Amino acid sequence: MPSVSDNPMPALRSHLQRDGFGFVDATAMRVLLEQAHTLDDWAAFAASWNQLAPDPYLASLGRHRRRRHAVFSAAPTGAIQRKPHQPHYQSLQYNVLQGDIERWFEPVLPEIADSISLRAILEFSRDFFGSLAPSVRSWHIELHQFRIEARPDEPGQPTPEGVHRDGVDYVLVLLVDRQNIVSGTTTIHSADGTQLGSFTLTTPLDAALVDDNRVFHGVTAVTPQDPGLPSHRDVLVVTLRKAG
């Protein structure tokens, strides 16, 4: 299982180039993120997951997911700009449950979009993935705040569409919080379904990075560790696609 903890940037780049994915533990990920900005406002950033809105597109499936969404644009250098609020769209090729529809989610709150922690995450994503695709001059970046809730009689489904690709170029999945849950293991697969690796995000800032053109990914269902207590898994997903 590829894992990165020491000398994180070269090792992670090597993993992505060789395997199409990499897992980063929280200690290494903090080093990578704080190359841009210190995460001084992380506590407030993480607390914003308590203000997510229900995902109305999954209500009929009985799954408990809350989220917010935002879109940004980025050149190889310079400021990363938030774009006007817009729907999230995937074709049926990439999302068999909810493809070919425009899904409008509540927007990421302005103070979170402007936070130091998010700026560090966006700049790292742009710079790191940009180093793997130096010919790209403009990135379309989508940001998804997710909370998956688990109940005793109903496991939470981080990826209800199953093992999939997102239809983008690169994906960062960053753990923000994990309370009273079991499992939630990220798995990476080849096109024929062969599992290439797995990693459970357990500590805030644990991360998975994926070359979406090369591999598929999924996350196993989460269940409560103590059925009598609330259970959730909070993640930030950042996707990058060549603009245009």
Side-chain angles (χ1 to χ4, degrees), residues 56-239:
Y57 299 93
L58 281 178
S60 63
L61 301 177
R63 305 228 167 87
H64 305 286
R65 179 159 72 173
R66 298 177 180 274
R67 64 192 296 177
R68 287 184 182 270
H69 175 245
V71 179
F72 296 80
S73 62
T77 60
I80 297 174
Q81 303 292 335
R82 186 171 187 175
K83 299 175 72 173
H85 193 52
Q86 55 192 265
H88 176 53
Y89 178 85
Q90 292 174 294
S91 71
L92 279 171
Q93 176 185 359
Y94 298 108
N95 190 326
V96 296
L97 285 180
Q98 301 168 315
D100 286 354
I101 61 173
E102 292 187 344
R103 287 183 286 163
W104 287 92
F105 300 109
E106 290 297 312
V108 171
L109 297 172
E111 61 269 28
I112 300 306
D114 293 334
S115 66
I116 296 171
S117 290
L118 184 58
R119 289 294 155 179
I121 293 164
L122 290 176
E123 289 177 22
F124 161 76
S125 300
R126 184 268 312 272
D127 295 346
F128 176 74
F129 291 127
S131 73
L132 300 174
S135 64
V136 174
R137 308 313 301 166
S138 181
W139 292 104
H140 175 86
I141 302 175
E142 293 199 42
L143 181 77
H144 306 265
Q145 291 179 281
F146 285 107
R147 168 167 286 182
I148 305 301
E149 299 170 338
R151 302 181 182 181
D153 58 346
E154 191 172 358
Q157 301 287 347
T159 54
E161 65 272 44
V163 174
H164 66 286
R165 290 167 56 209
D166 286 343
V168 297
D169 292 310
Y170 298 103
V171 181
L172 166 68
V173 182
L174 185 74
L175 185 70
V176 174
D177 187 39
R178 178 183 171 105
Q179 292 291 331
N180 188 40
I181 60 169
V182 177
S183 193
T185 298
T186 299
T187 60
I188 306 295
H189 304 258
S190 63
D192 66 4
T194 301
Q195 184 170 310
L196 304 175
S198 65
F199 182 71
T200 304
L201 308 179
T202 59
T203 303
L205 296 179
D206 280 352
L209 294 94
V210 177
D211 183 336
D212 196 58
N213 289 308
R214 293 175 57 190
V215 297
F216 292 66
H217 64 280
V219 183
T220 61
V222 295
T223 57
Q225 187 170 28
D226 182 339
L229 297 175
S231 307
H232 66 255
R233 178 182 186 263
D234 293 349
V235 299
L236 180 72
V237 175
V238 182
T239 68

